[in-house]
Amino acid sequence: MKVVALAGGVGGAKLADGLQSVLPPGDLTVIVNTGDDFEHLGLKICPDVDTVCYNLAGLNNPETGWGRRDESWHVFQAVKQLGGPDWFALGDQDLATHLERTRRLQAGEPLSAITADFCRRWGVTASVLPMSDQPVPTIVLTEEGDLAFQEYFVARRCEPKVTGFRFENILQAAPAPGVLEAIAAAEVVVICPSNPWVSVDPILGVPGIRAALMEKKVVAVSPIVGGQAIKGPAAKMYAELEIKPSAAAVARHFGGLLSGFVLDQVDEILTKDIGIPTLITGTIMMEREQRTALAEEVLSFARGIK
Ligand code: FO1
């Protein structure tokens, strides 16, 4: 069964990994947010793309949620000692990804081709596609002014109060090669439990992607459980935008796009507010088996929707 997953960040990467392990090789395409990409130390960093790829390759760091496992930090420490920027931590092995990606981008290769080649070398069986080959940087609008995404997320620890978001150059961006084709071929599209505002909305905003999804059976998994984000600032963002954070708010967020919605058993009471078929299950993925179990359940739920 051909499946497309939309993902960004740690929750999205975990479910994408579960889907990869239950689907035959070649059946899964993961379309990843690139709104959090930025340049640092002269290198192109693509955190969500890397988080997804490292999870699919089994190379992810389980402690941080980002970066690589069994990491060392010699370069980062040496840069720090020289007075260089220390607000964004890059491990030694992770640096290799950024160095090689930057070299190849500068030689004229598109991000999608580089990502596909890295995945092949890491033994990833799913296709991983950045949402676009053109940069679409997310700007977080806050009461303290407009902040580049990583400045808001890492340097300012998501503290400034959010008033909105801007995805720069999005109307000039095109879906990366293969994105619309994968959606057209998919029997089911899964919106992974990623931040709706800054991980999923940028993907949906790339011209052509939302329209392509409107033709499909789309199922979303809530990243909000019991009114709290499993990880990251999604609940804080809803509250600051004066929307009560809840799984129901996430379902409303995606509105007419959805054919089904998956929410955690602690939120069972909310199903009556959702108005489309729902699956109630355990959605928190601490262990590897929980990724696989949730993936199986989401796919069989989606298959059963008319
Ligand atoms: N997040 C942090 O909170 N602090 C960091 O120093 C940091 C470094 C980092 C390096 C590579 C990478 O791929 C991700 C990194 N992240 C870090 C996570 C990143 O900011 C977020 O995962 C996403 O941008 C939001 O989805």
Side-chain angles (χ1 to χ4, degrees), residues 9 36 45 47-48 50 66-67 87-90 94 149-150 153-154:
D36 65 337
I45 319 287
D48 280 359
D50 292 343
W66 47 266
W87 64 274
F88 196 83
L90 294 174
D94 190 33
F149 181 79
Q150 296 298 346
F153 193 90
V154 177

Side-chain angles (χ1 to χ4, degrees), residues 13 17 20 49-73 91-97 115 117-125 288 291:
D17 179 40
Q20 177 182 248
V49 170
D50 292 343
T51 300
V52 167
C53 293
Y54 291 157
N55 271 271
L56 294 174
L59 297 171
N60 58 296
N61 184 328
E63 278 96 50
T64 54
W66 47 266
R68 286 186 58 157
R69 65 173 67 233
D70 305 322
E71 189 57 288
S72 58
W73 303 89
D92 297 327
Q93 298 178 91
D94 190 33
L95 261 169
T97 306
T115 306
D117 187 51
F118 285 2
C119 282
R120 187 183 58 78
R121 291 168 188 276
W122 284 325
V124 172
T125 58
R288 195 106 212 290
R291 301 178 178 195

Side-chain angles (χ1 to χ4, degrees), residues 193-216:
S194 300
N195 186 315
W197 299 104
V198 293
S199 294
V200 184
D201 281 354
I203 305 177
L204 299 179
V206 175
I209 295 188
R210 185 186 284 273
L213 294 173
M214 289 304 287
E215 309 294 314
K216 292 283 150 180

